[in-house]
Amino acid sequence: EYNREKLQNQQKMNGYLQKMMSEAGKNKNMSDEYTGKTNITGTRAQHDKRHGEASRKYQAETDHIVPLAKIHVQFRDNYGLSKDDVRRIANAGTNCALTSGTLNAGKNDKTNTQYVQEQGDKLDLETQRRMLEKEKEAQAAINKDANSTIVQNLMGNGHTDRDEKKEAVAAREKKLGKKLSELSKEDRDKE
């Protein structure tokens, strides 16, 4: 069942915003990755005394280019990926875009394609082009990352597999009261 709170990694989202603010340096305004305009700011203190809902138009937020809901549907029945794998893939920097709070709130769980179709002429052609291109790039990166992770997991070299093997070795060593030799570890892997 889809649960946004479990799939979203707010720390990664904030990290993306901080990275973009750092790259902007001392510039007060940053570039909106969807519109291409340099008109959003990273912190509320930088709003040029704009307040209320109008200030959201200028507040930089991190958007999941491919929405978490879509990623959930795409991978929910994929037994080659753990929940942690899907969460990592969903919150990767390749699936993040810096945009205004207003656009981000309006997009919500829609894909960029759905949002562009819904907004129609309300969005200029450049914004439409940029949003569709970002979606295409993000989906390609998600697919590549997922496929690579699945191969690693199926070969027993995935992050989860390594953790499980490490825990199994530690449990076996604790039970035996001694360190396992490499031969013993190979035997354990065959089980």
Side-chain angles (χ1 to χ4, degrees):
E1 200 169 310
Y2 175 63
N3 183 331
R4 181 178 182 86
E5 285 74 38
K6 287 186 179 180
L7 193 52
Q8 179 170 300
N9 184 332
Q10 194 60 50
Q11 186 177 7
K12 290 279 189 185
M13 303 299 287
N14 293 342
Y16 186 81
L17 175 60
Q18 293 301 317
K19 174 184 162 249
M20 297 305 281
M21 287 172 58
S22 176
E23 287 177 9
K26 294 184 179 189
N27 293 337
K28 184 173 193 162
N29 290 325
M30 297 184 296
S31 180
D32 185 314
E33 292 182 76
Y34 288 149
T35 67
K37 297 174 183 167
T38 305
N39 64 349
I40 55 176
T41 59
T43 61
R44 293 192 190 334
Q46 296 177 332
H47 274 185
D48 289 335
K49 299 181 179 148
R50 297 173 216 159
H51 300 288
E53 188 57 35
S55 70
R56 195 132 193 238
K57 181 177 179 181
Y58 304 101
Q59 178 64 41
E61 290 185 7
T62 305
D63 176 51
H64 287 101
I65 300 168
V66 176
L68 296 176
K70 181 176 185 222
I71 292 172
H72 167 76
V73 169
Q74 182 177 354
F75 296 122
R76 69 179 169 209
D77 296 327
N78 190 318
Y79 296 107
L81 294 171
S82 70
K83 289 177 185 174
D84 288 339
D85 291 332
V86 175
R87 188 170 194 246
R88 180 188 52 76
I89 291 166
N91 292 283
T94 53
N95 191 37
C96 293
L98 202 62
T99 191
S100 73
T102 303
L103 194 151
N104 191 29
K107 184 179 167 233
N108 199 12
D109 275 339
K110 298 177 191 90
T111 64
N112 285 8
T113 300
Q114 291 168 329
Y115 184 74
V116 165
Q117 289 171 347
E118 177 185 276
Q119 294 299 307
D121 292 338
K122 293 178 189 174
L123 295 175
D124 61 79
L125 292 177
E126 179 63 13
T127 299
Q128 292 179 28
R129 184 194 67 74
R130 291 173 75 95
M131 288 186 77
L132 296 175
E133 185 63 28
K134 291 252 271 177
E135 179 180 36
K136 182 179 173 183
E137 291 169 359
Q139 188 62 62
I142 286 167
N143 293 343
K144 182 178 179 182
D145 195 0
N147 290 336
S148 173
T149 302
I150 290 167
V151 168
Q152 291 301 312
N153 288 347
L154 293 176
M155 294 176 63
N157 298 322
H159 180 73
T160 303
D161 294 321
R162 286 191 307 267
D163 290 346
E164 288 175 3
K165 284 181 181 181
K166 194 174 184 179
E167 288 172 14
V169 167
R172 186 68 148 287
E173 288 175 343
K174 183 177 179 180
K175 182 178 179 182
L176 295 173
K178 64 178 185 175
K179 292 278 184 193
L180 291 177
S181 67
E182 286 304 313
L183 185 57
S184 297
K185 288 179 185 177
E186 288 175 20
D187 290 339
R188 186 244 335 128
D189 285 342
K190 292 177 188 174
E191 292 177 358

